[in-house]
Coordinates of all heavy atoms in Angstrom, one line a residue:
L18 N 2.7 -13.9 -43.8 CA 3.4 -12.6 -43.4 C 2.3 -11.5 -43.5 O 1.4 -11.6 -44.2 CB 4.5 -12.2 -44.4 CG 5.8 -12.9 -44.3 CD1 6.8 -12.4 -45.5 CD2 6.5 -12.7 -43.0
R19 N 2.5 -10.5 -42.6 CA 1.6 -9.3 -42.7 C 2.5 -8.1 -43.0 O 3.4 -7.8 -42.2 CB 0.8 -9.2 -41.4 CG -0.2 -8.0 -41.6 CD -1.1 -7.9 -40.4 NE -0.5 -7.1 -39.3 CZ -1.1 -6.4 -38.4 NH1 -2.4 -6.5 -38.3 NH2 -0.5 -5.8 -37.4
L20 N 2.2 -7.5 -44.1 CA 2.9 -6.2 -44.4 C 2.1 -5.0 -43.9 O 0.9 -5.1 -43.8 CB 3.1 -6.1 -45.9 CG 3.8 -7.2 -46.6 CD1 4.0 -6.9 -48.1 CD2 5.1 -7.6 -46.0
S21 N 2.8 -4.0 -43.5 CA 2.2 -2.8 -43.1 C 2.7 -1.6 -43.9 O 3.9 -1.6 -44.3 CB 2.5 -2.5 -41.6 OG 2.0 -3.5 -40.7
C22 N 1.8 -0.7 -44.1 CA 2.1 0.6 -44.8 C 1.7 1.7 -44.0 O 0.5 1.9 -43.9 CB 1.5 0.6 -46.2 SG 1.7 2.2 -47.1
A23 N 2.6 2.4 -43.4 CA 2.3 3.5 -42.5 C 2.6 4.8 -43.2 O 3.7 4.9 -43.9 CB 3.0 3.4 -41.2
A24 N 1.8 5.8 -43.1 CA 2.1 7.0 -43.8 C 1.7 8.2 -43.0 O 0.7 8.2 -42.2 CB 1.3 7.0 -45.1
S25 N 2.4 9.3 -43.1 CA 2.1 10.6 -42.6 C 1.3 11.3 -43.6 O 1.2 11.0 -44.7 CB 3.4 11.3 -42.2 OG 4.2 11.5 -43.4
G26 N 0.7 12.4 -43.2 CA -0.1 13.2 -44.1 C -1.6 13.1 -43.9 O -2.1 12.0 -43.7
R27 N -2.3 14.2 -44.0 CA -3.7 14.2 -43.7 C -4.5 13.5 -44.7 O -5.6 13.0 -44.4 CB -4.2 15.7 -43.6 CG -3.6 16.4 -42.4 CD -4.1 17.8 -42.4 NE -3.6 18.6 -41.2 CZ -3.9 19.8 -41.0 NH1 -4.8 20.5 -41.8 NH2 -3.4 20.4 -39.9
T28 N -4.0 13.4 -45.9 CA -4.8 12.8 -47.0 C -4.7 11.3 -47.1 O -5.5 10.7 -47.8 CB -4.4 13.4 -48.4 OG1 -3.0 13.1 -48.6 CG2 -4.6 14.9 -48.4
F29 N -3.8 10.7 -46.3 CA -3.7 9.2 -46.4 C -5.0 8.5 -46.1 O -5.4 7.6 -46.8 CB -2.6 8.8 -45.4 CG -2.3 7.3 -45.5 CD1 -1.6 6.7 -46.6 CD2 -2.8 6.4 -44.5 CE1 -1.4 5.4 -46.7 CE2 -2.6 5.1 -44.6 CZ -1.9 4.5 -45.7
G30 N -5.6 8.9 -45.0 CA -6.9 8.3 -44.6 C -8.1 8.6 -45.5 O -9.2 8.1 -45.3
S31 N -7.9 9.5 -46.4 CA -9.0 9.9 -47.3 C -8.8 9.6 -48.8 O -9.4 10.1 -49.7 CB -9.3 11.4 -47.2 OG -8.2 12.2 -47.5
S32 N -7.8 8.7 -49.0 CA -7.5 8.3 -50.4 C -7.3 6.8 -50.4 O -7.1 6.1 -49.4 CB -6.2 9.0 -50.8 OG -5.1 8.7 -50.0
A33 N -7.4 6.3 -51.6 CA -7.2 4.9 -51.9 C -5.7 4.5 -51.7 O -4.8 5.3 -52.0 CB -7.7 4.5 -53.2
T34 N -5.4 3.3 -51.3 CA -4.1 2.8 -51.2 C -3.9 1.4 -51.8 O -4.8 0.6 -51.7 CB -3.7 2.7 -49.7 OG1 -3.9 4.0 -49.1 CG2 -2.3 2.2 -49.5
G35 N -2.8 1.2 -52.5 CA -2.6 -0.1 -53.1 C -1.3 -0.7 -52.8 O -0.4 -0.1 -52.3
W36 N -1.2 -2.0 -53.1 CA 0.0 -2.7 -53.0 C 0.4 -3.3 -54.4 O -0.5 -3.8 -55.1 CB -0.1 -3.9 -52.0 CG -0.1 -3.6 -50.6 CD1 -1.2 -3.4 -49.8 CD2 1.1 -3.4 -49.7 NE1 -0.8 -3.1 -48.5 CE2 0.6 -3.1 -48.4 CE3 2.4 -3.4 -50.0 CZ2 1.4 -2.8 -47.4 CZ3 3.3 -3.1 -48.9 CH2 2.8 -2.8 -47.6
F37 N 1.7 -3.1 -54.7 CA 2.2 -3.6 -56.0 C 3.4 -4.4 -55.6 O 4.0 -4.3 -54.5 CB 2.6 -2.5 -56.9 CG 1.4 -1.7 -57.5 CD1 0.7 -0.8 -56.7 CD2 1.0 -1.9 -58.8 CE1 -0.4 -0.1 -57.2 CE2 -0.1 -1.2 -59.3 CZ -0.8 -0.3 -58.5
R38 N 3.9 -5.2 -56.5 CA 5.1 -6.0 -56.3 C 5.9 -6.1 -57.6 O 5.4 -6.0 -58.7 CB 4.8 -7.4 -55.8 CG 4.1 -8.3 -56.7 CD 3.7 -9.6 -56.0 NE 3.1 -10.5 -57.0 CZ 2.5 -11.7 -56.6 NH1 2.5 -12.1 -55.3 NH2 2.0 -12.5 -57.5
Q39 N 7.2 -6.3 -57.4 CA 8.1 -6.4 -58.5 C 9.2 -7.5 -58.2 O 9.9 -7.3 -57.2 CB 8.8 -5.1 -58.9 CG 9.6 -5.1 -60.2 CD 9.9 -3.8 -60.7 OE1 9.9 -2.8 -60.0 NE2 10.3 -3.7 -62.0

Side-chain angles (χ1 to χ4, degrees):
L18 283 174
R19 188 177 79 157
L20 305 184
S21 297
C22 172
S25 58
R27 294 181 178 180
T28 61
F29 182 76
S31 58
S32 61
T34 303
W36 285 96
F37 291 76
R38 67 186 182 186
Q39 188 165 16

